[in-house]
Amino acid sequence: MATLITGGSGFIARALSTELAGDREVVTISRRNPETDVRWVKGNFGLFEDLRQLDGTAIDTVIHLGAVTGGCSEHDAIQVNVEGSRILLRYAIDRGCRKFVMASSIAAVGMQSVNFRPLEIPISDEHPCLDRDGYGWSKFMMEEVTKYHSRQNADIDVINLRLSSVAPDEKLPPLQEVGPPRQWGLGSLTLMALCDAVRVFRMAAESPTVPGVRILNAAAPRSWVKDPVARILKNWWGDGVDLSYFESGDNSYASVYDVTGIERELGFVADHLPS
C-alpha cells in the first residue's frame, strides 16, 4: 500500500516525501518535477484524467499538500482548494482509501485582514471562518468538503491540519516585536520550523484510524515573538479583544492558537521554539 502526497514539488512535500519513503511506498503528484528520488506522477490533483495515472497504485493514505496559497484570486482559491480537493477525495475514496491528512491553514479563520478580530483567543481548532479575501474561505470550505464526504463514507478518517506559517530550519525569521497592524499579522506570530511541520504530517498520517473528521491547529505552543503577546495584540486591536489569557500565569508568550487539541489527539508538540 502506498501514501499519495499532492503538491509534490512544494517546500513541505519534498521534505516529507523523502522522509516517508524510507519506510513505505510513496508517490507524489504535481505539475512540476520535485527532483527527488521518490516516484513522481506529473499532473493536477484536481483533474480525474490526471489522477487516473494512479489507477494501478493501491493507496491507503493521502496527504494533501497541494493548493494555491495566500494572495491568489478568489476564482483560483475556489477552483483549486475547494473543487480540486473534492475531486481528489472522490477519486481516492472510490478506490478504497480511508485515511486523509489535509493541509488546511490557520488562515481559515480569516486572520489575513487587518480588520480581523477573533471571537475567542487563543483561537480554537474550529473557530468559524471570518475571511474577507477568498483564500481563508477556500480552506474553510475544503474542511466542509471533507465533512460532506465523511457523511457519505462514515469509515473514513480525515485530519484537517490548520497549519501555521512554516520556515526553513536554517533560516528562521526574527522574533516579532510591537509594531503597527498589518495583513497576515497572526501568521508572523504563529510559525513552525520545517522539521516540525514534516513531523506533524507524519504523525497524523501514521496515527490510529479514527473514523470522522478532526480539525486541529498545527502550530507551536509558543508565539514567535520577542515582546509579550498581549502587548503586540493590544497595539493591533486595542480593547476590541479580551487578551487576559496572555496576562495571566505563564502565558505571556503562548500561542495565539489553541494547540491543546493536537497534543491530545496526536501527541504533537513542536520542538523548535523561540529561546
Side-chain angles (χ1 to χ4, degrees), residues 122-183:
I123 298 169
S124 64
D125 290 312
E126 298 203 40
H127 188 287
C129 179
L130 304 177
D131 183 53
R132 299 163 185 254
D133 74 358
Y135 170 68
W137 182 76
S138 74
K139 285 297 192 178
F140 173 79
M141 288 305 297
M142 183 199 74
E143 296 171 356
E144 292 298 304
V145 167
T146 68
K147 294 177 182 178
Y148 165 74
H149 282 290
S150 179
R151 288 192 291 270
Q152 293 181 329
N153 306 272
D155 60 337
I156 67 171
D157 175 10
V158 183
I159 301 174
N160 290 298
L161 295 179
R162 287 188 171 178
L163 185 64
S164 73
S165 303
V166 179
D169 299 348
E170 69 284 357
K171 198 176 180 180
L172 297 171
L175 301 181
Q176 299 299 306
E177 303 179 54
V178 173
R182 60 187 183 278
Q183 287 189 319

Side-chain angles (χ1 to χ4, degrees), residues 252-269:
S252 296
Y253 299 92
S255 174
V256 296
Y257 285 81
D258 184 351
V259 293
T260 57
I262 200 163
E263 181 177 6
R264 181 183 65 251
E265 293 290 323
L266 302 180
F268 173 78
V269 179

Side-chain angles (χ1 to χ4, degrees), residues 22-137:
D23 298 322
R24 60 175 301 149
E25 181 183 356
V26 176
V27 57
T28 67
I29 185 170
S30 58
R31 288 173 294 181
R32 290 183 298 168
N33 189 337
E35 298 182 350
T36 67
D37 293 332
V38 179
R39 178 187 166 200
W40 167 60
V41 170
K42 183 176 182 178
N44 184 332
F45 68 80
L47 295 175
F48 279 118
E49 53 267 39
D50 287 357
L51 291 170
R52 290 296 303 273
Q53 298 174 84
L54 297 164
D55 282 357
T57 303
I59 297 168
D60 66 352
T61 303
V62 170
I63 303 177
H64 182 32
L65 298 174
V68 291
T69 54
C72 61
S73 69
E74 181 182 90
H75 174 272
D76 287 348
I78 295 169
Q79 191 67 33
V80 177
N81 296 345
V82 185
E83 174 61 3
S85 298
R86 184 196 69 81
I87 289 171
L88 171 70
L89 283 162
R90 174 62 64 207
Y91 172 84
I93 290 170
D94 287 351
R95 284 156 183 79
C97 184
R98 292 296 178 265
K99 183 81 170 185
F100 298 87
V101 181
M102 314 288 286
S104 185
S105 170
I106 56 171
V109 300
M111 60 82 173
Q112 304 90 296
S113 171
V114 295
N115 297 311
F116 171 72
R117 300 293 184 274
L119 303 182
E120 57 187 350
I121 195 163
I123 298 169
S124 64
D125 290 312
E126 298 203 40
H127 188 287
C129 179
L130 304 177
D131 183 53
R132 299 163 185 254
D133 74 358
Y135 170 68
W137 182 76

Side-chain angles (χ1 to χ4, degrees), residues 192-212:
M192 282 200 300
L194 174 61
C195 60
D196 280 325
V198 167
R199 185 163 60 88
V200 73
F201 277 102
R202 178 167 194 155
M203 291 175 73
E206 295 177 349
S207 65
T209 298
V210 178

Side-chain angles (χ1 to χ4, degrees), residues 175-250:
L175 301 181
Q176 299 299 306
E177 303 179 54
V178 173
R182 60 187 183 278
Q183 287 189 319
W184 296 87
L186 290 186
S188 66
L189 308 187
T190 311
L191 183 137
M192 282 200 300
L194 174 61
C195 60
D196 280 325
V198 167
R199 185 163 60 88
V200 73
F201 277 102
R202 178 167 194 155
M203 291 175 73
E206 295 177 349
S207 65
T209 298
V210 178
V213 176
R214 287 172 281 177
I215 298 173
L216 300 171
N217 289 328
R222 191 186 189 284
S223 290
W224 201 260
V225 296
K226 180 178 180 181
D227 294 329
V229 173
R231 285 182 55 196
I232 293 174
L233 297 184
K234 181 84 169 179
N235 192 58
W236 292 358
W237 298 336
D239 296 322
V241 177
D242 179 7
L243 301 175
S244 58
Y245 170 81
F246 300 102
E247 299 170 327
S248 62
D250 297 325

